[in-house]
Amino acid sequence: MNPTYLDRRRFLLGSAAATLSPWLPKPSSEAQTATPRPYSTFTDIALKAGPTVPMIYGEVDSIKLIIESMGGGCAFFDFDNDGWLDIFLLGGSRLSGAPVGATNRLYKNNRDGTFTDVTQQSGLTDTGWACGVCVGDYNNDGFEDLFVTYYGHNKLYRNNGNGTFSDVTVAAGLYEKEIRFGTGCSFLDYNRDGHLDLFVSNYVEFDMAHPPIPTMANTTCTYEGTLVYCGPRGMKPGHHSLYRNNGNGTFTDVSEASGIAKHRGSYGLSTITADLDQDGWPDIFIPCDSTPSLLFMNNHDGTFREEALSRGVAVSGEGQELAGMGIGVGDFNLDGNSGLLVTHFQSEASGLYLNTGKANFEDITDTSGIGVERHYVCWGAAIADFDNDGLPDIFWVSGNVYPELERKYPKYPFKGPRILFRNKGAHIYEQLTTDTGTALQERHASRGVAIGDFDNDGDLDILIMNVNEPPSLLRNDAPIENHWLKIKLIGTVSNRGAIGARVLVNYGNKVQAQNLLSQSSYLSCNNPRLHFGLGSATQADVEIFWPNGLHERFNKLPADRLITFREATGPVPAIARLP
Amino acid sequence: MRTAPEDEELLLDLVLADSRSGLFEEAIARSQEAVAAHPEWPRLATVLVQRNRYEETLAILKKARDAHPEDLGLALLDLRVLALRGDTTTAAPLGQQLLSRHPNEFDLLYLNGLIERQQNSYEAAAKHLQTAVVLNPDHYDSRYNLGFSLLKLGHPEEARNQLERAIILDPSAPEAHFQLAAALRALKQPEVARQELAAYQKSMQVRAMRDRDISLAADAAQKLSTGNTAAAISLYAEVTADASTNPEAFYNLAMALDRSGDRRGERICLERALKLRPAYAVAMNQLGYVASRENDNTSAEAWFRKAIAIAPLFAEAESNLGTLLAGSGRDSEAEVHFRAALAGNPRYTDAWINLAAVLAAQSNFPEARAAAECAAH
């Protein structure tokens, strides 16, 4: 996560070689403009609601090794199938040894706005350098399982359906002997056999016993003349893995056979799997740090081809490799195609990529207005309609990776704010700050973000993993005049959780696409129930493109409710009622 | 800096020589010391930019500009660093203000165009860059940024012309290939666009490999400094495998081999470095040292003289040559070279000591005593 490479070869010879534009424009407060329509307000209720344990991740005042800088992801998922979203948070360790309580955390939703820490009872008590989480029902038993990536050894936790989880990594054939730096992961059914396969991205090759020693001579270990941890530049990239689900609880490594393994050279972080070109087969996108991002297009025969560069999403519109931290997926321009939001390092604008149809992308960062914000290192991200006005907004969190830097230059604070851009339509966004409550201005070193409606009140709340602090749980209070629709999918021929499904919702004169993802944001997982703001529309038409190819359409569905669809059956009674 | 050259240009040359040789820390130390002694020489601080140290550079420039508000050279330098940093909020008004006072200054036309391009003000950028290109047709960055702006303005054919000219000026610059590919796609030439993207990728891979090699080399240097010569050799060898056309990589490996006593390997690596960079003074000096160690004084003298001919202020080569000459009784010749070494590096203790010795050998005791005192201080 070092800064973008700047070519200054001509500098001393008399001419600036600035061929890119990382610029630091006006501060956030000036970017704010008056909002004519009411918007959501956000309140951080974490300390009252229950997720109160600090998430240990590296030392507080100094980061010596790259593993300490990562922070973890988080997930909103419903592990006990009670219809209320529970919380899973990933934690790390310390170089001096794991303090007591350093572990991942599972919080059960008490259905009253509070949570109970059930980590011990659930068995999810592993300690290590956890990075990413993806959620999926890999054994089609109706309970969502967890896969967690680590610096070390990744783990598959099977949901036993009784509130406990079992580490089945070895039995499932997913244990790797070598130490790897797992980061992104995503369940997907790449061969459409109804069983969820697994993709895992890796960051760098790193030997904790023999780490690079920072010196001023090594530019990959300095920032603005300050010694910082080394990397990722200068390190060997990790190699990415694809595991095929054998349908019997085990997996087979098909990285070589699928063509994934040959694509090295990029530092992979978060991973999303979705049918981006709408050919009915899931593709894989990996934002990569300081290297070109990767887009693996599904060849429908068990193999993939990498086409990020030619499809316009490998680098910035100026051809620059950026930091590629987090990713949001959403149809922000309401044309039925899912675009991408990729967050980057300070001095780099987060990238907004318009999907012009068949997974060909156009970088609209600067014209959209989000390019004004370049002050912070940015992580977990989402394209989500927080105020239910029918226009998906843009959100991300921030937090620096160099605590040493702030002591020398206060302009690079270690803790940063949350960034929210309101969708004004026509690809234009405006940054919101004070009108949304104080929670967005509170500063933390944040990493993972998950979006979901934990209190089932019809708007999207935000869960944030903060490094060495308790998480944040931002309760959204959306304008009550706007309507919404939630969709839960149950696969029958397709994988049970319908991961990979694409849903189009028509409301008013708009159409919005959403994909059911196993991971997005920064190494995190959103609510698997798809949430559509409808604005003033009180009904909507729904089209479902199931992972196995079935296309269904349902018209004039009433707003303000959760509707559960079973594949080839249609709407079925929901498990839990919403108010 | 008690006897440093009292000349900003000369010091700048030295700093540039260090940085071109990859001796960035030496260059930075030299420039920081000079700026501390001579705040009116802020150009020396720009070597910091090469190490991403913008904040320090801008602070030095601000101090200098406050002291010399009418100095156009300083203002240009400040603007250049701000533009490179991407701080258009500060750079844009400064650039406009300067351009209004110096409307025909090439650097200002180019920098204003660049800043406007960074701000997505493509029409204004194109206007300034077109004028800059007329004034300096061989300026890569003006051509590149003009091509970029024209593409954004919907003129792919004109953009293509500028970008192709930019690539002729610097075929290794990836960004121009990337934008040319975009222009060619707009011109419905997808196959040629693919070729340009391939060229872009190749350039980026070279850049990534260079980053990796910098990291490996730094790691190797660290290993060498802690006495782990074998590990250093292994890492340097990895760099030479990656960067088989990089003379500095072979030189570094040679120095590690020297430490391990592998004389043959050292010589082979030095010769390889020289083959890759025929005017590589540092490698010549080391070959001279290798030759003198093998008692081949004729070759040694020739190597030292070649090194000095290429780098006249190369203190180590001058001192080595002086030592060689003194060893064969050519004291007056040796004296000349020790004095030259000290002109290049007044803090070169060994050169002061050797100068004292050859002066004493010539019975010039007062100066010998003075030289010895300099060595002691």
Side-chain angles (χ1 to χ4, degrees):
Chain A
M1 285 161 283
N2 259 347
T4 306
Y5 182 88
L6 295 177
D7 191 343
R8 53 199 64 76
R9 67 212 134 91
R10 295 179 197 81
F11 186 82
L12 290 174
L13 302 178
S15 292
T19 52
L20 70 168
S21 59
W23 54 295
L24 294 171
K26 55 191 173 184
S28 305
S29 58
E30 292 177 35
Q32 183 191 3
T33 56
T35 53
R37 291 170 286 136
Y39 196 80
S40 296
T41 57
F42 295 93
T43 309
D44 189 347
I45 62 160
L47 293 179
K48 286 182 184 168
T52 54
V53 181
M55 299 308 296
I56 300 299
Y57 220 106
E59 299 297 335
V60 175
D61 296 326
S62 165
I63 293 182
K64 290 189 171 57
L65 301 182
I66 192 169
I67 53 171
E68 298 178 87
S69 70
M70 304 301 287
C74 55
F76 265 136
F77 79 126
D78 184 5
F79 78 92
D80 52 2
N81 274 346
D82 66 350
W84 295 80
L85 291 179
D86 309 299
I87 286 174
F88 185 56
L89 294 147
L90 299 186
S93 185
R94 296 230 163 103
L95 299 181
S96 53
V100 174
T103 179
N104 305 324
R105 293 270 160 195
L106 180 66
Y107 292 94
K108 177 178 163 45
N109 191 327
N110 298 327
R111 310 176 202 176
D112 60 0
T114 67
F115 291 82
T116 300
D117 187 339
V118 294
T119 309
Q120 286 294 333
Q121 301 93 303
S122 71
L124 293 169
T125 53
D126 284 321
T127 297
W129 296 96
C131 290
V133 56
C134 52
V135 176
D137 181 4
Y138 81 96
N139 55 358
N140 286 335
D141 67 351
F143 290 92
E144 292 174 323
D145 309 297
L146 298 170
F147 186 79
V148 178
T149 59
Y150 286 85
Y151 168 72
H153 301 284
N154 302 327
K155 295 201 172 174
L156 176 64
Y157 299 105
R158 187 187 65 214
N159 186 337
N160 299 319
N162 60 0
T164 68
F165 288 78
S166 297
D167 178 350
V168 295
T169 315
V170 175
L174 291 170
Y175 181 80
E176 303 259 6
K177 272 196 294 187
E178 62 178 318
I179 297 285
R180 295 175 70 180
F181 203 149
T183 44
C185 61
S186 183
F187 286 104
L188 76 163
D189 186 6
Y190 79 93
N191 54 1
R192 300 201 340 182
D193 65 353
H195 299 285
L196 282 177
D197 313 298
L198 178 65
F199 180 86
V200 181
S201 66
N202 281 267
Y203 193 42
V204 295
E205 287 190 6
F206 179 75
D207 180 358
M208 211 168 157
H210 301 94
I213 307 294
T215 63
M216 289 304 289
N218 188 349
T219 47
T220 68
C221 316
T222 66
Y223 191 87
E224 284 287 7
T226 305
L227 273 182
V228 295
Y229 68 83
C230 301
R233 286 188 184 281
M235 293 179 169
K236 287 184 182 172
H239 56 280
H240 313 303
S241 298
L242 180 64
Y243 303 96
R244 188 188 65 227
N245 188 330
N246 300 320
N248 60 0
T250 68
F251 291 79
T252 299
D253 188 337
V254 293
S255 310
E256 294 287 344
S258 63
I260 296 289
K262 69 182 178 187
H263 292 285
R264 296 195 65 171
S266 283
Y267 306 125
L269 286 174
S270 307
T271 296
I272 61 125
T273 54
D275 180 13
L276 294 171
D277 60 351
Q278 298 164 26
D279 64 354
W281 297 74
D283 310 301
I284 303 168
F285 178 66
I286 314 163
C288 296
D289 190 357
S290 310
T291 46
S293 297
L294 299 170
L295 175 57
F296 292 108
M297 304 304 296
N298 194 321
N299 290 328
H300 311 176
D301 60 359
T303 67
F304 290 82
R305 62 193 189 280
E306 202 288 306
E307 296 187 337
L309 187 61
S310 62
R311 290 176 178 273
V313 76
V315 292
S316 76
E318 298 189 20
Q320 299 299 325
E321 298 162 330
L322 301 174
M325 310 294 217
I327 179 165
V329 183
D331 183 7
F332 51 82
N333 60 325
L334 303 176
D335 64 353
N337 301 310
S338 293
L340 304 173
L341 164 71
V342 185
T343 55
H344 299 301
F345 209 79
Q346 65 199 9
S347 301
E348 301 171 349
S350 292
L352 191 60
Y353 295 90
L354 184 73
N355 185 342
T356 57
K358 296 287 181 184
N360 291 303
F361 294 89
E362 180 187 349
D363 183 343
I364 61 163
T365 304
D366 289 326
T367 54
S368 69
I370 74 163
V372 299
E373 179 48 70
R374 303 183 184 202
H375 297 83
Y376 308 103
V377 181
C378 304
W379 302 85
I383 299 172
D385 187 358
F386 292 107
D387 63 342
N388 286 332
D389 68 350
L391 299 165
D393 310 303
I394 282 176
F395 176 83
W396 68 75
V397 298
S398 67
N400 212 304
V401 292
Y402 304 137
E404 304 86 354
L405 199 59
E406 184 176 16
R407 294 194 280 274
K408 193 170 174 185
Y409 298 114
K411 68 184 284 187
Y412 300 116
F414 186 60
K415 296 181 178 183
R418 290 71 192 258
I419 309 295
L420 176 64
F421 283 90
R422 180 181 200 169
N423 191 336
K424 295 178 72 179
H427 311 179
I428 303 297
Y429 289 82
E430 67 175 356
Q431 191 170 359
L432 300 179
T433 51
T434 52
D435 289 347
T436 57
T438 59
L440 297 187
Q441 283 80 55
E442 288 166 8
R443 289 179 174 248
H444 302 270
S446 300
R447 296 295 188 265
V449 167
I451 306 296
D453 183 3
F454 81 86
D455 50 4
N456 284 340
D457 67 347
D459 54 34
L460 291 171
D461 310 297
I462 304 172
L463 172 67
I464 303 170
M465 187 278 183
N466 300 317
V467 172
N468 289 318
E469 285 185 281
S472 300
L473 181 59
L474 306 190
R475 189 192 67 219
N476 177 7
D477 294 304
I480 55 171
E481 61 267 33
N482 290 332
H483 300 281
W484 52 272
L485 183 65
K486 275 191 212 304
I487 293 172
K488 179 178 168 68
L489 302 177
I490 299 174
T492 52
V493 179
S494 302
N495 70 83
R496 169 87 186 234
I499 284 171
R502 191 167 68 92
V503 175
L504 290 181
V505 171
N506 291 267
Y507 50 98
N509 293 317
K510 303 182 180 80
V511 59
Q512 185 187 155
Q514 286 192 26
N515 302 82
L516 213 166
L517 307 170
S518 174
Q519 182 178 85
S520 67
S521 181
Y522 175 68
L523 309 174
S524 298
C525 183
N526 294 335
N527 178 4
R529 303 175 303 187
L530 301 177
H531 178 103
F532 294 82
L534 302 180
S536 59
T538 54
Q539 61 181 27
D541 301 335
V542 174
E543 283 182 82
I544 303 170
F545 297 83
W546 292 90
N548 276 41
L550 179 65
H551 176 204
E552 295 184 298
R553 184 182 178 97
F554 305 93
N555 293 334
K556 296 187 177 174
L557 297 170
D560 301 326
R561 66 198 62 203
L562 165 69
I563 302 178
T564 301
F565 295 88
R566 187 185 300 277
E567 186 176 16
T569 302
V572 294
I575 295 171
R577 288 179 61 80
L578 295 176
Chain B
M1 301 302 290
R2 51 204 148 95
T3 50
E6 288 293 323
D7 185 303
E8 185 185 12
E9 289 297 329
L10 187 56
L11 262 176
L12 192 58
D13 284 345
L14 285 171
V15 166
L16 283 171
D18 279 345
S19 65
R20 282 181 188 135
S21 302
L23 304 172
F24 288 104
E25 289 313 304
E26 288 82 345
I28 286 170
R30 196 191 285 269
S31 63
Q32 283 180 322
E33 197 172 345
V35 170
H38 298 278
E40 70 277 18
W41 294 355
R43 283 191 300 158
L44 289 161
T46 54
V47 71
L48 293 166
V49 170
Q50 294 195 345
R51 308 301 276 176
N52 300 329
R53 294 165 71 162
Y54 301 99
E55 301 294 341
E56 293 161 86
T57 312
L58 289 168
I60 289 169
L61 288 171
K62 182 178 184 310
K63 198 172 167 186
R65 286 200 66 209
D66 287 347
H68 305 278
E70 295 305 314
D71 187 324
L72 178 60
L74 276 180
L76 267 172
L77 196 56
D78 198 18
L79 185 62
R80 209 182 295 284
V81 177
L82 288 168
L84 183 63
R85 184 73 184 91
D87 183 359
T88 55
T89 307
T90 313
L94 174 62
Q96 287 160 13
Q97 179 202 5
L98 292 170
L99 187 62
S100 68
R101 287 157 51 193
H102 307 277
N104 299 316
E105 179 71 35
F106 163 76
D107 281 331
L108 284 172
L109 287 161
Y110 157 64
L111 288 170
N112 272 275
L114 168 66
I115 294 158
E116 285 151 353
R117 202 275 289 158
Q118 290 175 329
Q119 292 182 311
N120 307 326
S121 302
Y122 298 115
E123 282 192 31
K127 184 177 157 213
H128 287 133
L129 291 166
Q130 270 159 342
T131 312
V133 162
V134 170
L135 292 173
N136 187 353
D138 294 334
H139 190 237
Y140 165 86
D141 291 293
S142 296
R143 294 273 184 196
Y144 166 75
N145 284 289
L146 176 56
F148 188 112
S149 302
L150 290 168
L151 187 58
K152 290 288 184 185
L153 289 168
H155 306 303
E157 187 64 53
E158 293 172 57
R160 174 190 182 163
N161 291 339
Q162 294 301 330
L163 293 165
E164 285 178 343
R165 290 289 297 274
I167 289 169
I168 290 168
L169 292 166
D170 185 354
S172 67
E175 293 84 3
H177 291 287
F178 186 81
Q179 296 305 332
L180 180 55
L184 290 164
R185 280 196 299 273
L187 292 166
K188 310 289 183 206
Q189 297 183 37
E191 194 47 48
V192 200
R194 267 192 285 276
Q195 290 170 18
E196 287 303 320
L197 271 188
Y200 161 80
Q201 277 182 301
K202 193 174 173 188
S203 296
M204 294 300 272
Q205 282 161 2
V206 169
R207 192 179 274 186
M209 194 59 85
R210 195 172 57 200
D211 278 342
R212 182 169 169 265
D213 290 343
I214 288 170
S215 186
L216 283 173
D219 205 9
Q222 198 272 336
K223 296 273 191 301
L224 201 59
S225 70
T226 56
N228 191 348
T229 309
I233 289 172
S234 170
L235 289 165
Y236 279 133
E238 207 174 331
V239 177
T240 56
D242 283 348
S244 58
T245 58
N246 181 350
E248 284 80 16
F250 284 97
Y251 176 78
N252 288 335
L253 178 55
M255 298 310 288
L257 291 168
D258 177 85
R259 193 78 72 87
S260 74
D262 181 353
R263 312 290 185 216
R264 183 172 172 274
E266 179 186 4
R267 181 189 290 277
I268 290 170
C269 286
L270 289 169
E271 287 169 352
R272 183 76 184 272
L274 265 183
K275 196 171 180 183
L276 292 165
R277 184 173 149 192
Y280 196 175
V282 176
M284 289 172 179
N285 175 58
Q286 187 63 20
L287 273 167
Y289 175 69
V290 169
S292 72
R293 198 170 50 200
E294 294 167 355
N295 298 319
D296 181 359
N297 287 354
T298 308
S299 297
E301 184 176 341
W303 281 121
F304 292 140
R305 288 193 187 282
K306 279 185 189 175
I308 292 164
I310 289 165
L313 285 167
F314 189 176
E316 199 176 334
E318 294 279 11
S319 179
N320 282 337
L321 180 55
T323 304
L324 192 72
L325 296 171
S328 56
R330 294 151 72 181
D331 291 333
S332 60
E333 288 178 74
E335 180 190 338
V336 171
H337 291 288
F338 287 132
R339 289 192 186 280
L342 290 165
N345 180 3
R347 292 180 300 173
Y348 198 163
T349 307
D350 287 352
W352 283 116
I353 292 169
N354 288 331
L355 177 63
V358 293
L359 288 168
Q362 296 173 86
S363 303
N364 184 352
F365 297 110
E367 284 198 57
R369 181 188 297 275
E373 282 173 2
C374 283
H377 292 100

